[in-house]
Amino acid sequence: MPELCLVCWALLLGLAQACPEACDCGEKYGFQIADCAYRDLEAVPPGFPANVTTLSLSANRLPALPGGAFREAPLLQSLWLAHNQIRVVAAGALAPLGHLKSLDLSHNLISDFAWADLHALHALQLLKMDSNELDFIPRDAFRSLGALRSLQLNHNRLHTLAEGTFAPLAALSHLQINDNPFDCTCGILWFKAWALATAVSIPERDNIACSSPHVLKGTPLGRLPPLPCSAPSVQLSYQPSQDGAELRPGFVLALHCDVDGQPAPQLRWHIQTPRGSVEIASPNVDADGRVLPSALAADGQPRFQAFANGSLLIPDFGKLEEGTYSCLATNELGSAESSVNVALATPGEGGEDALGRRFNGKAVEGKGCYTVDNEVQPSGPEDNVVIIYLSRAGTPEAAVVKAGGPEQRLPGLLWLAQSLLLLFLTCTCF
């Protein structure tokens, strides 16, 4: 009933409205058509009849489509905008057109497109976006286009495609995506496999080719040779050097995230302590512990020092640094994460906090950590708990040692092995 009222209102309003001066409006084959092509227009003109179902604005000089550009024509089924100078399609420009079946945006300069507007176009069957400057398509761009039959993305600047981009297009029968400068790395292999297996018609396959790397330039995607690709894996370890040692206050906590994958994954640390959450893009210091220019903190030296080899150092570790330490590795094929919970306790004084009591409870139940050859290993990701027992006597350990002259920081775990009494714990990613 509301849709019927909308149609009636549109028809009545359409009869009362005049056509824009620059356009020709009328009925043809049962469709209400507004023809505004070849008029040198620099903006979408106002004054369209509300019952218009086909609008042509092709071959004008439109530079952009602002939000609400077609609010006067809610019943549009066909919208033709080819051969303009459109660079930007703003949010809200297309979203109100829920009846739209055909949309032609080809032969423009579009680089900034409100992809979320497509989520409202459930009736869309034809989408032409070829011959633009698009360099990115979000993974969920076409999630609501189950009725789409033809999609044209050829002659753009697409370098890669997110895996599953075309999965929602259940009715798709024609895809044109040739003449894009694809990077033929691990992230594009899914598309090669999909294109070889799909029943969708994909013309000009030999022109769906690699632009990089140089050794593969010009190679059709369908003939791309096997690439050495693997999703990330991580193994998080904590390494003191003596089983059962009691450490003095002020020691340096060392974690090491061993990362594997091809292409080489990017590593990040997520740290949750009583002070709050911290996100670190590794590295933030060089091999000698000097702060990288891109990671300069207000006080000069970051509280958590992340090295390029996957090590994380926390000098003067104390109760405020208790918490959960997670390393996350990501590449084109996915991501992997491993975490460890670190707690401090004092022997014989009931110093274990909630993490410690949880750890001991697991041990009584025969669960949690077990030891083999002086390695303490968790039995599952929920059991990754490290309890560090502090000595009741002694002074803080030195974080800097002298090496034949001025003070120097020993790189990574070598420095730790010489200055700390540590215990080795491996926490495997599950």
Side-chain angles (χ1 to χ4, degrees), residues 16 41 97 146 202 241 298 302 308 365-366 370 388:
L41 296 174
L97 305 179
I202 305 177
S241 63
E365 298 171 9
Y370 59 93
I388 302 171

Side-chain angles (χ1 to χ4, degrees), residues 130-148:
D130 54 286
S131 303
N132 277 287
E133 297 185 3
L134 299 170
D135 61 4
F136 171 73
I137 299 176
R139 184 190 304 270
D140 67 345
F142 308 128
R143 72 181 188 194
S144 301
L145 304 186
L148 193 69

Side-chain angles (χ1 to χ4, degrees), residues 159-160 182-192 210 212-213 216 221 224-225 227-229 262-263 332-333:
H159 292 277
T160 191
F182 285 117
D183 294 329
C184 288
T185 58
C186 298
I188 203 69
L189 291 182
W190 78 269
F191 179 58
K192 172 190 173 183
C210 304
S212 64
L216 294 174
L221 191 62
L224 189 65
L227 300 177
C229 302
Q262 183 65 32
E332 299 175 36
L333 301 180

